[in-house]
Amino acid sequence: MNLLHGLFSVLFIVEFSELQGKHGFFSQALLKGEVIENMSQAKFVAGIHTPANHPNDINKKITRRCTAFILSKTEIITNAHCVYDAPYVYVVADTKVVSDVNQKFKIKVEKENIAWHPHYSHLIFGAFDIAKITLKTPLEFSDTVGSIELVDKDYKLNNQSEVVTVYGYGVMNNTGPLILRRCDANFMSDVERANTFKTSQTLYFTTGEATNDGEIITPGDSGGPVVSKTNGKIVGITTGYGTTGGRGMFLPITLFLDFIHDPKSVKPIPPPLTPNEAKFIADITVPGKFLTAYKEDFADAGENAQLKFNAIILSKTEILTCAHSVLGAPYVYVTVNKLSRNATELKVTEDQIEIHEKYALSRFAFNVAKITLEEPLKFNDNVGSIDLVDKDYKMNDPSEMVTVYGDMILDGTMRTRRYDTKYLDGAKCKPILGAAFDANYLMCYTLNGSMGTPSTFGGPMISKKNNKLVGMTIFHSSDEPVVFQPIAPLLDWIRKPNVRRNQRRRMA
């Protein structure tokens, strides 16, 4: 399962002659799509601009100008980077050109009526880059000012033949003007996206080349709507353009419906863990060419290609992780004290790794491996172990809270975090996950995207009731429950000596 990490540019207009003249910051981006001559064709599109010299503008010379769309008479949606930390912005509607003059509708909106996604970070462009503006005075709808609907939560961005229309006040050259245009494009396949953008976060979807003349996205298009030509509804919001031509990168609107309907319903990002809080979590680094479970994805992997997984420190000599993470690798690297500057990396060879004898790639059950270290770890404030639950521990209380630990992508970067959730009985996940899910040995929990999405496997699940290890994450995807391996049924296997290693020692 690939995690794609994207490269893209921030799309706001900088009215700063030195920056533009000397560096040609936006000279590469020209959109030649259809110019909107009649606003009735795009009555749901609005413009945003934040005047320069506001108190939070450090440079005192920057004006941000973006696109937005009208959701209702009082609701405007745009990018977070277009409004972030500004004490006020202006919303303009019924206009073919975004400027400071001659606007039919120019509404000043104060900061208290602007909500950007709580997971957005201005330091990491693109991720969770969405904001909602609430107008105190409702817009007057007409033939040239109106709203547009959002797609439903179950809408899937998987039809490459579907055409979407991207709208935006894209700039034609370094100085403007910002003229409203639209441009048609198709969805990119995952393979084409990977080849084009190399790595791109799963938060985004991308388009291929425009079906009409020109590139898709240019500066000024930030926050613009992406509309399905099939149903006429919003499917995405522009957040950036890729390093290849003008291919667009967009946030799927389905991921942000909760925020759009009620910004306060989305909880802030849990902070990254301190080294002490993550002292029982380790990392497993595997050279890509050895990844048996990812053979197709890493068929052409070179010496430097690698993938990281989480692991759990059980004792000074025992590390627990997923079987599929280490299967077939003649060696891997274990990193302890991972969040500290004094992190320690240990090379572990195949004879130190034992995979559960019942594990098979075709299913999830018994997806567990134990690593036995040559030299005991030195425990301290940042390196330690976690206790295991007893063998008779039963996961039969649906009200019990557990804490999931692991590397998660929330603000555009992968960090080690934790969040609380409730587990589900395996029988409830069986119909969703199919034959590979064995409810006799596995359980699951619902994905809480607003608090965190595990991005690696092997992370611990700890009971808040007894503070002991009750499970380990072994599988997840963006739209399915997370599968975890309960620890209690595996205690006999976990506690037995490394048979494989002892056999090799006797042979030696």
Side-chain angles (χ1 to χ4, degrees), residues 70-84:
I70 302 169
L71 193 59
S72 72
K73 290 183 178 181
T74 58
E75 297 171 302
I76 309 293
I77 306 298
T78 189
N79 278 155
H81 77 254
C82 299
V83 298
Y84 179 75

Side-chain angles (χ1 to χ4, degrees), residues 5-289:
H5 301 277
L7 299 173
F8 51 90
S9 302
V10 179
L11 306 179
F12 56 77
I13 298 303
V14 181
E15 292 189 339
F16 190 12
S17 58
E18 247 185 74
L19 177 64
Q20 292 179 333
K22 290 185 178 180
H23 302 285
F25 194 63
F26 297 117
S27 60
Q28 64 173 348
L30 298 176
L31 186 147
K32 303 173 184 177
E34 176 189 359
V35 174
I36 301 297
E37 299 292 350
N38 188 333
M39 281 305 297
S40 63
Q41 299 173 323
K43 62 182 181 180
F44 50 86
V45 181
I48 303 289
H49 64 85
T50 307
N53 300 313
H54 66 68
N56 294 331
D57 178 5
I58 298 175
N59 295 312
K60 306 299 182 187
K61 294 181 180 180
I62 295 179
T63 294
R64 285 173 282 189
R65 288 183 176 168
C66 296
T67 309
F69 61 87
I70 302 169
L71 193 59
S72 72
K73 290 183 178 181
T74 58
E75 297 171 302
I76 309 293
I77 306 298
T78 189
N79 278 155
H81 77 254
C82 299
V83 298
Y84 179 75
D85 231 14
Y88 60 88
V89 301
Y90 288 105
V91 176
V92 296
D94 194 4
T95 181
K96 293 182 283 186
V97 180
V98 175
S99 65
D100 292 318
V101 296
N102 299 325
Q103 299 294 345
K104 298 178 183 177
F105 296 96
K106 182 179 179 182
I107 305 167
K108 185 177 182 179
V109 182
E110 302 292 343
K111 183 176 182 178
E112 57 265 26
N113 294 315
I114 304 171
W116 49 83
H117 199 288
H119 298 178
Y120 170 73
S121 170
H122 69 286
L123 300 175
I124 306 171
F125 300 128
F128 299 95
D129 194 1
I130 188 169
K132 181 178 181 180
I133 297 171
T134 303
L135 304 180
K136 284 188 174 181
T137 303
L139 291 170
E140 293 183 10
F141 281 1
S142 65
D143 290 341
T144 53
V145 178
S147 61
I148 188 168
E149 293 183 33
L150 306 174
V151 290
D152 299 327
K153 202 165 190 175
D154 58 357
Y155 176 82
K156 302 294 183 183
L157 296 167
N158 57 4
N159 184 358
Q160 294 167 43
S161 66
E162 181 175 352
V163 178
V164 294
T165 304
V166 184
Y167 293 79
Y169 289 100
V171 66
M172 285 293 291
N173 52 54
N174 286 345
T175 59
L178 281 75
I179 301 173
L180 182 58
R181 294 176 173 83
R182 64 184 175 192
C183 189
D184 291 346
N186 297 93
F187 293 135
M188 240 185 200
S189 69
D190 291 340
V191 173
E192 187 182 2
R193 178 175 66 170
N195 291 337
T196 303
F197 293 97
K198 294 187 178 178
T199 54
S200 163
Q201 289 180 352
T202 53
L203 287 175
Y204 309 101
F205 70 92
T206 52
T207 63
E209 295 179 355
T211 58
N212 52 343
D213 187 26
E215 297 182 354
I216 298 172
I217 299 303
T218 69
D221 290 325
S222 290
V226 183
V227 181
S228 167
K229 298 199 76 161
T230 302
N231 58 35
K233 296 181 180 182
I234 299 285
V235 299
I237 180 171
T238 300
T239 189
Y241 55 85
T243 55
T244 302
R247 289 176 168 87
M249 300 183 71
F250 312 95
L251 296 180
I253 212 70
T254 54
L255 296 181
F256 301 96
L257 292 178
D258 290 343
F259 168 79
I260 291 172
H261 295 317
D262 181 10
K264 293 182 180 179
S265 68
V266 181
K267 297 179 181 179
I269 293 177
L273 299 181
T274 65
N276 175 261
E277 292 171 325
K279 67 180 182 179
F280 48 81
I281 303 176
D283 274 351
I284 303 291
T285 305
V286 187
K289 61 182 178 178

